Amino acid sequence: MDKRNRLIAIGLIGAGCLMIFGKWLGFFSIVALLLLLLGVHRITSGKVKQGYRLMGVGAVLLLLDHLLLVLGICLISLVMFFMKSKRMQRRAGFMQKQSFSSRFDWDLSPWVMRSLSAWHVLGEADVDLSLAMAEEQETMMLFQGIFGDVDILLSEDYGVEIEAFVLFGSIESGSHRDTGMLNRLNWKSPNYDRSEQKVKFNISYLMGDLDIRLP
């Protein structure tokens, strides 16, 4: 029954999109939307890699057919990023980075953890807090963009708070996994209030995969 309900929901979403945006949609746009919806269905069915491939192809077709629309979405996302960064980063000296593609390999060797605001079209971050050396008692980490893949390995040395939103994709925390559309997570580690050093993550992507692993 759950599978049937998911199919009905995806079908209704697709029909609604066609009704609202039908007059602007050409052949490639319709194919792109079908691939995106099929990708979401594959992800919700457990075929995550296949789902992401389908969504990637759909996104490329949509980009080619609606370049101005995609550029507008990127611009809106970037403006929202600056507003959120200004609200979150209340201390001077934090790093701010905007780029088309970013990669953070913070799981290979000890690394210095500083407050960071990063926006990208394509981004990947592997964060191992057991290797982190914090410069502040409270570190703010903001990751935002269009496509993102973030893996966070927690550590008992830090109190961690995570606020995340993924429009299309998945969020996995421990043994719990949410896939599909409109995935949201608000989580705080049990040791957060009593920890001397705290880390706050704010993560949001249009399409993304967030994996939070316990120590």
Side-chain angles (χ1 to χ4, degrees), residues 96-142:
Q96 184 162 291
K97 181 178 181 181
Q98 304 89 42
S99 61
F100 179 82
S101 178
S102 297
R103 182 181 179 90
F104 302 95
D105 292 316
W106 293 331
D107 63 336
L108 303 176
S109 60
W111 57 285
V112 177
M113 182 168 60
R114 302 182 180 93
S115 292
L116 168 72
S117 293
W119 182 93
H120 33 247
V121 177
L122 301 171
E124 184 175 354
D126 295 309
V127 182
D128 187 346
L129 291 179
S130 66
L131 298 175
M133 297 177 290
E135 289 189 334
E136 304 172 310
Q137 287 189 336
E138 185 176 68
T139 305
M140 310 293 293
M141 307 285 281
L142 171 61

Side-chain angles (χ1 to χ4, degrees), residues 6-94:
R6 285 198 298 266
L7 288 173
I8 293 174
I10 292 172
L12 290 174
I13 292 170
C17 291
L18 288 175
M19 292 174 63
I20 297 172
F21 304 107
K23 63 180 180 180
W24 294 292
L25 295 179
F27 173 76
F28 286 106
S29 298
I30 294 174
V31 172
L33 287 175
L34 290 175
L35 288 173
L36 288 172
L37 292 172
L38 184 58
V40 172
H41 173 61
R42 287 288 189 269
I43 292 174
T44 57
S45 302
K47 300 178 181 179
V48 179
K49 291 185 178 180
Q50 185 181 12
Y52 282 134
R53 293 192 189 101
L54 289 170
M55 291 178 67
V57 175
V60 171
L61 290 177
L62 201 61
L63 172 63
L64 294 175
D65 204 33
H66 293 281
L67 182 59
L68 291 178
L69 175 62
V70 174
L71 292 176
I73 292 173
C74 291
L75 181 60
I76 292 172
S77 175
L78 188 57
V79 171
M80 293 176 63
F81 163 76
F82 284 121
M83 294 173 60
K84 185 181 292 185
S85 178
K86 184 177 180 180
R87 185 177 69 252
M88 287 183 55
Q89 305 289 2
R90 299 177 180 178
R91 298 180 181 178
F94 70 94

Side-chain angles (χ1 to χ4, degrees), residues 40 109 132 176 190 194 214:
V40 172
S109 60
H176 181 73
R194 64 175 183 272
L214 302 176

